[in-house]
Structure formats: structure tokens, C-alpha cells
């Protein structure tokens, strides 16, 4: 079974049609980048996958659970699907160590010692071993985002959703976060990444999805080719603007 | 005024004791009820929300004296042996809890919604997210306005005087009507209320400062 399947999914906010007939399948271990102009529904699409937004119609299967089914326990899905936010959303009242261990201790019922041992390994992975006892407010944006990735990994999820993980960062911080994301991708994690980092989409992503006006306008299994030769007129327009900005 | 204090020291202290006792019980009770009704108010479930909202709007908008009198005069028909002190303290608790619910609700809503989303995405249930992440942050935001509520509560406990609640105000009325030294008596009573409420004000100010420096303490 695939990790995530959208079948004719629609999402409305009142009269606004935010997602239009979305059909998308994400296989296990795949890294899918979602790009597109602001307001195209990328983040909304991502947030439906762990139930932060509800779909209005269609079918959405995550790890074989049907999200539209009222009997589906969202907590079970969220346990297996991590999320990294644009604005980090680290727990402001908890230390870095507690940020990483709270989920494993409270949700997975892992012992504190075991959770901390694993957290230390993850802090090593993201290169922030010496920050364990600090509060989030004492860290830079790039450091916060790396901690947020460690927090997601601590749950040993089957997939991680990234919602514009580098958009709120100073330019010199972006590289560190992308390096960590690349490491996670190399370990075989299923990742869905809404991003404006075309380099990441081109080099790390296995697949690319271009969205505009709530629709998937183009999908490519060869991101590099997409960037050289987009088919959809909106994609052409979007890329021409981005490339000029580069 | 000194003679009023010395001549009536034991009855005034008796009054202080009842005032503190009633205020303490109402403080704990209204904090618990207030947090519960704040949680109901912000519930995504419509029915639950309406229950919370109704409670708050009713008790916030009826005079305390009416609420207290209701428990003193009406409730003993159903619960025999409900004395003035108990009835007054229940009334005080319920009345204050409506204000605390509003304060706590505002505090919860001022915590960035991303904190709840992160906690839910981390696999925690709604209640776990509230307990470990949102409420601890909300409480700190809410301490200064809550402090005001607690000072108000001590002052409002004087409503017990109307219900034969033996509190400080009740004793004061008694002393004034027997000695006819009304000025001195009410000055002394006012002074004793000040002695109770001022430290509370300063404690709240201290906590506010401390927590603003260190969000984890």
C-alpha cells in the first residue's frame, strides 16, 4: 500500500474552493516537493494529511487509514506522521530536551531515560548537542527548525510533512536546515515538502508537484526535467519569475 | 480607633478568620471551576461551548448579593442546614469562577495556535496538548488579571455580612451597632481588609515579574 493517497479530494472554506479534485499518491520512502505560487493550496494540502484541516469531499488514505471516516483515530495517524512548521512552533514552555522527549514519553509511553538517550542521538544528527537545556527562545531560527525536525524524528514516524520549513529563516540559516532535511531523506524517510527552495526540489526530491489555484497543474517524476522544460503555462510563468530572482 | 481595636480584638479576629477561610475556599473552588468552564468555552464542540458560555454569562451578569442570597434563602429548602457562611462561600465561588473563566479563556486564546497544532501533530490528544503545552503558558499570561480577581474576591467576601456569615464585615456591623462608634469601627475594618489584600497584590506583582523573566519557572 502507498503511504498517502488522495482520490478526488476537494476542500472548501465557505465558498472558497481551496483544493480542487486532488489526485496524488505518495509511496513509502519517497520525497515529494510541492511548489507553486502563494495561495495555491500547497499548505492546505499538506495540512489535510495529518488532519489539521478536514477535507470536504473525496477520499484521503494515510497509512491505510481513511481520514474522512469518523471512526478513524486522528491521534494514531499523527503518531506516525510528523510535521515541521514554517514558524517552528517549538513548545515555548519546555526546554529543547523536553521538546524532543515529550511526545515519545506521553504518546509512545517510552521511559524518560530511553527518550533522552534517543533525543541525544537526534541532537547529534542535527548538530545541536550542546543546546539540550536551553529554552527555544534562546535559539536562532535555523537552530529552532533543526530542533523541530529532531522532535518529529523522535516519534519514529512513517512520514514527515514539511510546511515551508525555510521560509521564515535568514538566508544564511537555510543551508543548515536543508542539510538536515537531506540527511533525513537519505535515511529513507517519506517526506512531503512544501517549499520555495528550488534547489532542494531539484536535487533532493524524487518527485515534484506544481500547484496553482488549488489544483495540481503538473506532476513530474524527474524534477530536473521539470525545471528545464515545464509543460503547464502557469508553471512556465512561475519558473520564469523564480529563475529571474535567482 | 485604637480602643475599638483593643476592646473588640477577639471578635474582629474571629471575623478575619472567617473572611480568610471563606476567601481561601472560594479562591481554590473558583480557580478549579473557572479553568473547567474556560475549557468548555473554547471547546470545538458547539453544545459544550454553549454550556460554558451560558454559565459564564449568567453568573457574570447577576449581582453577587443576588447569587449569595439565592443560596442562603432558596437553597436551604432543598438542602437543610445550609448556613450563612457556607451559602455565602458557595455564592462567592460561583460568582468569581465566571470572571476567572473569562480571564483564563482570554489567556488560552492568547497562546499562539501553532503551539496546539504542534502538540497535536506530535501525537498528543487535545487534553494532553492543553495540559502540557497550552495551559502552562496561558497561566503565566493570566497571572496579573487573576491576581486582581483574587483581591476582588477577598473584598467581595464581605457579602457574607448579609447572610450572618460571621466575617469581618459582619463583626464590624455588630460592633458599630453596639458601640455607636461608627467612624472608628469602619476605619478599623477597612484597615484590616487592607492588611489582607495588600500582600496579595504584591505577591501577584512579584510572580508577574519573575515569570516574565523566566518563562519556564
Amino acid at each position: 500500500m502507498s503511504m498517502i493517497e488522495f482520490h478526488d479530494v476537494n476542500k472548501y472554506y465557505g465558498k472558497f474552493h481551496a483544493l480542487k479534485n486532488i489526485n496524488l499518491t505518495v509511496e513509502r520512502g519517497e520525497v515529494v516537493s510541492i511548489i507553486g505560487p502563494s495561495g495555491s493550496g500547497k499548505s492546505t494540502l499538506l495540512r489535510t494529511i495529518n488532519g489539521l484541516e478536514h477535507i470536504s469531499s473525496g477520499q484521503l488514505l494515510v497509512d491505510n487509514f481513511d481520514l474522512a471516516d469518523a471512526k478513524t483515530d486522528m491521534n494514531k495517524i499523527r503518531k506516525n506522521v510528523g510535521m515541521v512548521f514554517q514558524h517552528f512552533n517549538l513548545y515555548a514552555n519546555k526546554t529543547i530536551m523536553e521538546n524532543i522527549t515529550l511526545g515519545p514519553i506521553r504518546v509512545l509511553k517510552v521511559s524518560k531515560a530511553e527518550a533522552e538517550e534517543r533525543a541525544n542521538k537526534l541532537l547529534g544528527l542535527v548538530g545541536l548537542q550542546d543546546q539540550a537545556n536551553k529554552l527555544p527562545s534562546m535559539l536562532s531560527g535555523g537552530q529552532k527548525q533543526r530542533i523541530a525536525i529532531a522532535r518529529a524524528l523522535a516519534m519514529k514516524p512513517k512520514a514527515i510533512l514539511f510546511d515551508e520549513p525555510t521560509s521564515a529563516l535568514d538566508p544564511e540559516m537555510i543551508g543548515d536546515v536543508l542539510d538536515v532535511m537531506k540527511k533525513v531523506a537519505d535515511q529513507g524517510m517519506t517526506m512531503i515538502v512544501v517549499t520555495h527552495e528550488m534547489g532542494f526540489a531539484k536535487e533532493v526530491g524524487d518527485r515534484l508537484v506544481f500547484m496553482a489555484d488549488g489544483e495540481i497543474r503538473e506532476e513530474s517524476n524527474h524534477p530536473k526535467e521539470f525545471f528545464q522544460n515545464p509543460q503547464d503555462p502557469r508553471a512556465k510563468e512561475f519558473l520564469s519569475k523564480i529563475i529571474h530572482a535567482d | 480607633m485604637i480602643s475599638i481595636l483593643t476592646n473588640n480584638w477577639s471578635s474582629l479576629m474571629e471575623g478575619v478568620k472567617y473572611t480568610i477561610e471563606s476567601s481561601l475556599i472560594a479562591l481554590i473552588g473558583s480557580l478549579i471551576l473557572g479553568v473547567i468552564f474556560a475549557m468548555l468555552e473554547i471547546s470545538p464542540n458547539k453544545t459544550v461551548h454553549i454550556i460554558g458560555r451560558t454559565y459564564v454569562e449568567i453568573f457574570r451578569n447577576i449581582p453577587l448579593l443576588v447569587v449569595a442570597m439565592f443560596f442562603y434563602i432558596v437553597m436551604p429548602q432543598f438542602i437543610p442546614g445550609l448556613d450563612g457562611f457556607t451559602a455565602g462561600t458557595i455564592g462567592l465561588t460561583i460568582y468569581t469562577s465566571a470572571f476567572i473563566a473569562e480571564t483564563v479563556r482570554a489567556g488560552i486564546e492568547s497562546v499562539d495556535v501553532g503551539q496546539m497544532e504542534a502538540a497535536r501533530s506530535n501525537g498528543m490528544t487535545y487534553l494532553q496538548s492543553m495540559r502540557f503545552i497550552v495551559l502552562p503558558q496561558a497561566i503565566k499570561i493570566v497571572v496579573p488579571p487573576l491576581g486582581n480577581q483574587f483581591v476582588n474576591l477577598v473584598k467581595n467576601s464581605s457579602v457574607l455580612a448579609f447572610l450572618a456569615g460571621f466575617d469581618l464585615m459582619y463583626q464590624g456591623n455588630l460592633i458599630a451597632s453596639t458601640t455607636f462608634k461608627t467612624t472608628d469601627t469602619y476605619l478599623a475594618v477597612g484597615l484590616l481588609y487592607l492588611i489582607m489584600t495588600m500582600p496579595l497584590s504584591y505577591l501577584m506583582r512579584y510572580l508577574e515579574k519573575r515569570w516574565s523573566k523566566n518563562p519556564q519557572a
Side-chain angles (χ1 to χ4, degrees):
Chain A
M1 273 299 272
S2 308
M3 183 67 215
I4 297 158
E5 290 178 36
F6 286 82
H7 298 291
D8 297 319
V9 168
N10 285 281
K11 163 82 183 167
Y12 291 87
Y13 290 108
K15 277 187 182 157
F16 178 65
H17 202 169
L19 295 177
K20 298 174 186 162
N21 278 316
I22 301 292
N23 285 289
L24 178 69
T25 303
V26 179
E27 302 299 337
R28 292 177 197 270
E30 236 183 348
V31 177
V32 177
S33 313
I34 305 179
I35 65 168
S38 302
S40 57
K42 310 182 296 287
S43 289
T44 306
L45 178 86
L46 196 73
R47 289 163 61 88
T48 59
I49 297 171
N50 73 347
L52 288 180
E53 304 286 349
H54 298 289
I55 61 172
S56 307
S57 69
Q59 194 187 31
L60 174 50
L61 300 175
V62 177
D63 196 20
N64 301 338
F65 288 101
D66 182 352
L67 262 66
D69 187 343
K71 279 181 290 215
T72 299
D73 180 2
M74 279 315 304
N75 296 321
K76 248 184 210 160
I77 292 168
R78 293 189 180 120
K79 206 159 73 176
N80 291 322
V81 180
M83 178 119 176
V84 173
F85 297 87
Q86 181 178 0
H87 295 289
F88 332 121
N89 297 353
L90 294 185
Y91 307 136
N93 59 326
K94 301 283 181 194
T95 64
I96 297 310
M97 178 55 80
E98 291 166 335
N99 262 275
I100 300 173
T101 57
L102 189 67
I105 292 172
R106 294 292 169 185
V107 180
L108 302 179
K109 310 290 179 198
V110 167
S111 76
K112 192 170 174 236
E114 199 185 327
E116 288 188 348
E117 192 192 321
R118 181 161 164 73
N120 276 319
K121 278 187 198 149
L122 290 169
L123 283 170
L125 177 82
V126 301
L128 294 167
Q129 298 93 321
D130 46 349
Q131 310 290 331
N133 297 316
K134 291 191 179 165
L135 284 168
S137 57
M138 299 157 87
L139 267 52
S140 73
Q143 289 175 324
K144 283 183 200 174
Q145 199 59 300
R146 285 185 277 157
I147 296 300
I149 296 171
R151 175 174 69 181
L153 286 170
M155 295 294 289
K156 299 189 178 167
K158 294 179 181 172
I160 302 184
L161 313 172
F162 292 82
D163 190 3
E164 301 198 23
T166 57
S167 296
L169 298 178
D170 292 336
E172 73 269 24
M173 307 275 183
I174 292 175
D176 291 342
V177 171
L178 290 178
D179 285 347
V180 170
M181 288 170 63
K182 194 168 177 309
K183 271 194 222 174
V184 176
D186 289 343
Q187 290 178 357
M189 178 62 69
T190 309
M191 293 165 65
I192 303 167
V193 185
V194 169
T195 187
H196 292 300
E197 286 301 319
M198 297 306 143
F200 181 89
K202 206 189 286 183
E203 306 299 334
V204 185
D206 299 314
R207 209 140 60 85
L208 188 132
V209 171
F210 174 78
M211 285 184 76
D213 302 322
E215 281 179 294
I216 293 180
R217 300 291 283 260
E218 190 165 343
E219 235 187 294
S220 169
N221 289 323
H222 306 283
K224 279 181 190 146
E225 279 175 25
F226 169 85
F227 280 100
Q228 277 162 7
N229 188 19
Q231 302 300 310
D232 180 73
R234 286 297 301 272
K236 279 181 189 163
E237 188 195 333
F238 178 73
L239 283 186
S240 72
K241 280 180 190 163
I242 300 251
I243 287 160
H244 281 301
D246 274 349
Chain B
M1 192 175 97
I2 301 293
S3 67
I4 282 287
L5 278 171
T6 48
N7 291 344
N8 302 283
W9 186 251
S10 64
S11 56
L12 283 170
M13 281 307 107
E14 177 88 353
V16 167
K17 194 194 102 193
Y18 277 107
T19 291
I20 290 178
E21 206 174 300
S22 169
S23 301
L24 266 182
I25 296 169
L27 188 149
I28 294 164
S30 62
L31 194 57
I32 294 169
L33 277 179
V35 171
I36 291 173
F37 279 99
M39 298 274 290
L40 298 190
E41 270 197 276
I42 56 158
S43 166
N45 182 311
K46 262 244 156 67
T47 320
V48 175
H49 164 79
I50 289 171
I51 293 170
R53 192 87 219 128
T54 310
Y55 175 91
V56 168
E57 287 303 340
I58 288 178
F59 288 107
R60 204 164 62 130
N61 292 302
I62 297 177
L64 169 60
L65 189 53
V66 176
V67 178
M69 276 297 179
F70 181 83
F71 282 97
Y72 186 50
I73 307 287
V74 182
M75 288 315 277
Q77 297 171 19
F78 309 101
I79 311 166
L82 198 66
D83 60 25
F85 177 82
T86 313
T89 305
I90 293 174
L92 196 58
T93 303
I94 289 176
Y95 176 81
T96 310
S97 71
F99 289 90
I100 290 184
E102 275 305 274
T103 312
V104 172
R105 178 191 60 80
I108 292 172
E109 284 176 350
S110 70
V111 174
D112 178 21
V113 65
Q115 296 284 307
M116 174 58 99
E117 287 187 351
R120 298 307 305 274
S121 301
N122 212 182
M124 282 187 263
T125 63
Y126 178 80
L127 286 179
Q128 282 178 322
S129 307
M130 272 290 167
R131 181 175 150 209
F132 297 118
I133 304 302
V134 178
L135 280 180
Q137 293 182 53
I139 291 293
K140 275 159 208 175
I141 296 169
V142 144
V143 159
L146 268 192
N148 290 334
Q149 295 298 343
F150 290 151
V151 172
N152 278 339
L153 188 148
V154 176
K155 294 189 289 177
N156 285 340
S157 71
S158 58
V159 77
L160 263 69
F162 290 93
L163 322 175
F166 307 111
D167 68 312
L168 179 55
M169 185 63 195
Y170 176 87
Q171 306 291 353
N173 285 339
L174 220 59
I175 295 164
S177 62
T178 48
T179 62
F180 302 110
K181 291 182 183 166
T182 47
T183 314
D184 285 0
T185 306
Y186 289 114
L187 278 176
V189 166
L191 186 70
L192 288 170
Y193 273 111
L194 264 184
I195 291 171
M196 286 188 277
T197 50
M198 292 289 279
L200 205 52
S201 294
Y202 278 100
L203 173 71
M204 288 302 165
R205 230 175 263 185
Y206 167 76
L207 287 179
E208 189 185 337
K209 258 195 204 148
R210 209 184 103 165
W211 281 346
S212 69
K213 267 192 223 134
N214 179 359
Q216 213 209 355

